[in-house]
Amino acid sequence: MKAAQSKLRLKKASRVFVASTGQELLEESHWKRGMEDDVVLLVSAGEDFVGTKKEELSPNENSSLDLDALSLGQPVYIMGNKAYIDPLSITQLETTARTLPGIIYAVAQPDLHPGTKFPIGAVFVSEGWIHPPLIGGDIGCGMAWYKTQLSASQVQGDKGRKVAEKLRGLEGAWRTQPDREAWLSETDPSSPTAPPSTSASAGEEWDAALGTIGAGNHFAEIQVVEEVLPGAWQSTNRHGEQGTLRANDVLLLVHSGSRGYGAAILARHAQTSLPAGDPRALAYLAEHDRACAWAARNRDLIALRFLACLEPGDPAWTLGPSDPLAPSSPASHIHAARHRILARRVVDICHNSVERARWPPAAPTDPAPLACTRDVYIHRKGAAPIAPPRLPSLGSESTFALLPLPGSRGTPTLILHPLRTAANAFGAANALSLAHGAGRALSRAKALAVVAQKYEGRAEDLLRGDFVRMDARGNKRGGGGVGGSGGISGGGKVDSGGRDVHGGTWVVCEDKALVWEEAPEAYKDVWAVGDDLVDGGAAERVGWCWGRVSYKVRRE
């Protein structure tokens, strides 16, 4: 303000507006939302804004929703408050909700950020219409947690570096196509009592990528549960997944999707919206469900390959190493290995998908549908479902016990317990979904420029587990207590050279562009995102994990 008074020779500069929207910056929250790189501010001595003002929703507007309001089609709910949300992503959300046919409700999760056309971190509820472009090409992309038998001490400090060195042979095709088809089949065909097998195989062209992570923001991370609230956080689903976590458990978090298969499905369906009863919509949903199943099996196979490196003495993981020249294994061996993986799986969620559900949802204690409910399609564009879907494209009234909310490379992953209570209209307010991560604060192009300049000549620092970065408050990156404010507090023990001797995150990434694009500085504060979910009544934060080894890609 003083600079404006001096340079513009204003006697009394008293009002500030954002040039692109006309919004007046009146309080601290306005400044936080309005300020971004290259923003143009207009300063006046009291005069009003001249031009067309764009209506902007407050991040906590419509924060109190009820079933009646939702039934009447209250169109947009924005959950962000503590987490910064780029105004462009809100514009994309509102435009999408207003222009696509059949949209009756849209939710901006606190990790919302701009996409190419549609925002990421959003949920759209439609009636009578399917929108394949909202899901995009990475159909079935999601995350899964698996328990390992490692101890926390085996991945701390410099031991984490040694673990990272063991992670090899994870790129390229896994074994033979008959082996991949066996992995993708629903039942063991060698069992005489097995029902007819349903397969998620997409054909050899796409199955060749099965068991690989992929590019972009996909990763696998070895994490230690640093803190978890006591209690029976346990659920068992139809696959026997166990939702119980304890302090010092060592987990493997896998984030991957359907690789090129989902993009091929989107291309076949002309990237257009479809009436729900149209044969093309039914064909899309059938392929969509297959891609979601393929992506879940992909995450399971990635876990198998990692466990073969992490627990090499376990005979269950002998099929993990890739050997395309080896003869095909009996299907029963493939299925036995997959069953062992499922026994280690804590949870698997898909955050790029569409599912059919009844709307609005009934209370969990009252499974009978409300008289006013109708069939809708919940489109998630980077949003985690709070309940496991029942394919093909049918929703479920149960909820997951635990869900991961990962930050960025080298920052914590929060452990969330989804809620369905009257406070959030039994999950309707947040569209039966949660944020799927911290969400980008910088675009890839901007991160590539800003972070590369910040660490010029020191790219290796971003890959080292003993390198301590500072957050925006000047604190060493560490964990926030479960019961605390969610801020980032001091980290582990630091020696005189500034190295974290307790152990940070060792990163395997041999793609330099990804080193910059996926740096922690390119993402929002995961604690702020988690706080918004808690404050919105959508979840409880019951603990957090710290990554010890993060794997992106090797040039093998």
Side-chain angles (χ1 to χ4, degrees):
M1 193 71 79
K2 290 182 179 179
Q5 287 177 315
S6 174
K7 293 186 178 182
L8 302 179
R9 298 183 180 180
L10 295 175
K11 292 183 179 180
K12 185 178 181 182
S14 60
R15 302 181 72 182
V16 181
F17 303 88
V18 178
S20 60
T21 64
Q23 181 197 13
E24 185 171 4
L25 304 182
L26 297 172
E27 54 190 58
E28 183 180 358
S29 62
H30 295 165
W31 283 90
K32 288 181 178 179
R33 295 198 307 275
M35 296 303 291
E36 56 182 358
D37 289 345
D38 303 321
V39 69
V40 176
L41 300 179
L42 303 178
V43 183
S44 82
E47 298 87 352
D48 200 0
F49 176 80
V50 177
T52 302
K53 291 186 178 182
K54 296 181 180 178
E55 184 178 353
E56 181 179 6
L57 282 172
S58 169
N60 54 11
E61 187 175 331
N62 296 333
S63 61
S64 179
L65 298 179
D66 57 33
L67 285 171
D68 293 334
L70 289 168
S71 297
L72 293 172
Q74 198 163 355
V76 174
Y77 175 38
I78 299 173
M79 296 185 70
N81 189 10
K82 293 182 179 178
Y84 169 76
I85 294 183
D86 190 319
L88 173 59
S89 62
I90 296 179
T91 299
Q92 289 182 330
L93 182 89
E94 293 174 324
T95 301
T96 302
R98 186 173 60 248
T99 58
L100 289 187
I103 300 293
I104 62 172
Y105 188 54
V107 177
Q109 297 289 338
D111 60 337
L112 190 79
H113 56 282
T116 303
K117 184 177 181 181
F118 304 110
I120 301 164
V123 190
F124 298 92
V125 181
S126 71
E127 186 174 14
W129 286 83
I130 308 292
H131 302 286
L134 281 182
I135 308 307
D138 199 4
I139 301 170
C141 181
M143 298 186 188
W145 253 334
Y146 305 85
K147 288 187 177 182
T148 78
Q149 292 184 344
L150 300 177
S151 66
S153 63
Q154 288 179 282
V155 297
Q156 302 278 31
D158 193 58
K159 291 181 180 179
R161 177 185 61 79
K162 296 176 181 177
V163 170
E165 280 298 314
K166 294 180 180 179
L167 299 178
R168 297 187 178 275
L170 300 170
E171 309 290 342
W174 177 73
R175 301 182 66 84
T176 66
Q177 178 61 11
D179 287 343
R180 295 190 287 268
E181 289 176 351
W183 186 268
L184 290 164
S185 64
E186 182 65 32
T187 56
D188 184 350
S190 65
S191 172
T193 59
S197 178
T198 57
S199 176
S201 174
E204 189 165 5
E205 177 184 4
W206 305 118
D207 290 353
L210 189 71
T212 60
I213 293 172
N217 63 349
H218 297 139
F219 65 89
E221 187 167 271
I222 300 167
Q223 305 177 329
V224 175
V225 178
E226 298 288 339
E227 189 173 10
V228 64
L229 288 176
W233 304 108
Q234 179 171 325
S235 70
T236 303
N237 70 8
R238 63 192 177 95
H239 288 308
E241 294 168 339
Q242 297 296 317
T244 302
L245 296 180
R246 296 178 176 82
N248 292 319
D249 279 351
V250 178
L251 307 176
L252 174 66
L253 178 65
V254 176
H255 175 205
S256 189
S258 56
R259 307 291 274 109
Y261 178 38
I265 293 173
L266 181 64
R268 279 198 295 274
H269 291 275
Q271 303 188 30
T272 186
S273 299
L274 301 167
D278 190 300
R280 295 172 299 167
L282 299 177
Y284 169 77
L285 288 176
E287 291 197 77
H288 163 281
D289 290 349
R290 183 186 295 270
C292 288
W294 194 101
R297 307 292 174 82
N298 183 45
R299 291 186 282 274
D300 290 340
L301 185 52
I302 291 169
L304 175 72
R305 298 179 78 171
F306 269 77
L307 288 174
C309 297
L310 299 173
E311 303 174 9
D314 192 324
W317 316 137
T318 55
L319 294 176
S322 178
D323 186 0
L325 299 179
S328 297
S329 297
S332 58
H333 293 185
I334 301 290
H335 284 270
R338 184 160 182 269
H339 291 156
R340 286 291 303 273
I341 286 293
L342 292 179
R344 295 288 191 94
R345 198 166 73 182
V346 178
V347 69
D348 181 277
I349 61 101
C350 171
H351 53 232
N352 269 18
S353 67
V354 57
E355 73 168 288
R356 184 179 170 190
R358 298 292 291 172
W359 189 265
T365 55
D366 182 16
L370 301 175
C372 61
T373 59
R374 68 267 206 195
D375 284 336
V376 299
Y377 292 91
I378 301 176
H379 300 72
R380 295 184 174 94
K381 180 73 170 178
I386 65 170
R390 290 196 304 250
L391 300 179
S393 298
L394 293 175
S396 169
E397 290 297 326
S398 64
T399 56
F400 289 116
L402 299 173
L403 287 177
L405 181 70
S408 57
R409 185 181 67 210
T411 61
T413 290
L414 306 188
I415 306 171
L416 302 180
H417 173 61
L419 297 177
R420 292 184 59 213
T421 67
N424 69 343
F426 306 115
N430 46 296
L432 298 173
S433 308
L434 298 178
H436 77 312
R440 295 196 72 89
L442 300 176
S443 68
R444 289 190 176 277
K446 189 169 289 186
L448 193 60
V450 172
V451 182
Q453 182 179 19
K454 179 178 180 180
Y455 294 101
E456 185 176 4
R458 298 186 297 126
E460 290 300 313
D461 283 349
L462 290 173
L463 307 180
R464 295 186 59 83
D466 57 2
F467 171 69
V468 179
R469 288 178 293 277
M470 311 296 281
D471 69 10
R473 305 170 189 142
N475 298 315
K476 294 180 178 63
R477 291 190 181 272
V482 171
S485 65
I488 297 177
S489 62
K493 181 180 178 182
V494 179
D495 68 12
S496 59
R499 292 181 296 272
D500 185 345
V501 296
H502 177 64
T505 304
W506 295 91
V507 180
V508 178
C509 182
E510 296 181 358
D511 181 330
K512 181 158 286 189
L514 284 179
V515 174
W516 311 130
E517 293 172 3
E518 295 294 311
E521 291 88 339
Y523 283 81
K524 303 181 189 184
D525 179 357
V526 70
W527 295 98
V529 172
D531 281 349
D532 283 338
L533 294 172
V534 172
D535 294 344
E540 293 178 310
R541 188 174 66 238
V542 299
W544 62 281
C545 306
W546 189 265
R548 295 305 180 194
V549 179
S550 183
Y551 184 98
K552 297 289 290 186
V553 62
R554 283 195 193 275
R555 298 302 189 194
E556 294 182 332

